[in-house]
Amino acid sequence: MSTFDEVIAADQRIEPRDEMPEAYRKTMVRQIAQHAHSEIIGMQPEGYWITRAPSLRRKAILLAKVQDEAGHGLYLYAAAETLGMDRADLTERLIDGRQKYSSIFNYPTLSYADVGVIGWLVDGAAICNQVPLCRSSYGPYARAMIRVCKEESFHQRQGYELLMTMMGGTAAQRAMVQDAVDRWWWPSLMMFGPPDADSPNTARSMAWRIKRHTNDELRQKFVDMTVPQAERLGVTLPDPELRWNAERGHHDFGTPDWDELKRVIGGDGPCNAERIANRRRAHEEGAWVREAAAAHARKKEATP
Ligand SMILES: [Fe+2]
Ligand SMILES: [Fe+2]
């Protein structure tokens, strides 16, 4: 039987019953739980617009997209369970603030253009982050990511298609899109986490092949991918320092406000309290469903 180090060196997958260092298990639990929570909390900013969608078609698309995010949360909680975690316990940790979720979901959605911009930029950034995770060293997580990424690419396209439609509309609609881009651009860049110099765990996660690229590499990739899409759309990205650097073969861009990221992660973003309060209420209101499901399962087990 191969040891943990041999499996990692051979670029193979660690499976739930394999031996693994406790620090690896803890890192995986933290990452998977944080990811699962992000999917579930991430339903809120867009979920708000389901009853306010401008047409039946837009409502159906948004409903499907938000439902997908619930599914992503479920795959990921199931992946965390393979590491001996209990889903109810993870939810407790989320609502009492012991575990985090992505900072991006603490920003408000002020217009329907935000639905498009979230699909384009936020799901786009999620794809950049998650495609390399399909080769992550922990098997259940890597396999969950394959399914998640397929659905994320639908999310990104639906966002871009919505924005294209709005940009072909009235001046007021175009202004809504530009306003949403102005508000979401910098928080989207922050989704890749702090700069590498400030990210002490990156080296170990790379050595364990949990991560394949550093935060700054992924951020650069996202900027390079997004600039031509913004041009095609006809919007301006709100960064005066953004320009092509022929020598590097990449775009140069400005520095996100890292203090803002720290504040939002620390609980002081525009919507942190509201997001957690909603999640707590949904959890409490769903207690009877969980109890009924457990009672039903017990009854089924008891009847031969
Ligand atoms: Fe998702
Ligand atoms: Fe998504």
Side-chain angles (χ1 to χ4, degrees), residues 39 69 72 148 152 155:
E39 302 284 356
E69 306 299 5
H72 298 174
V148 167
E152 291 304 345
H155 299 170

Side-chain angles (χ1 to χ4, degrees), residues 91-124:
T91 300
E92 289 298 331
R93 288 178 198 222
L94 167 67
I95 58 187
D96 68 18
R98 277 177 294 157
Q99 283 178 342
K100 309 256 178 242
Y101 56 90
S102 175
S103 57
I104 193 77
F105 300 119
N106 291 312
Y107 292 87
T109 40
L110 303 182
S111 82
Y112 208 75
D114 289 41
V115 169
V117 170
I118 289 179
W120 176 38
L121 297 179
V122 175
D123 291 276

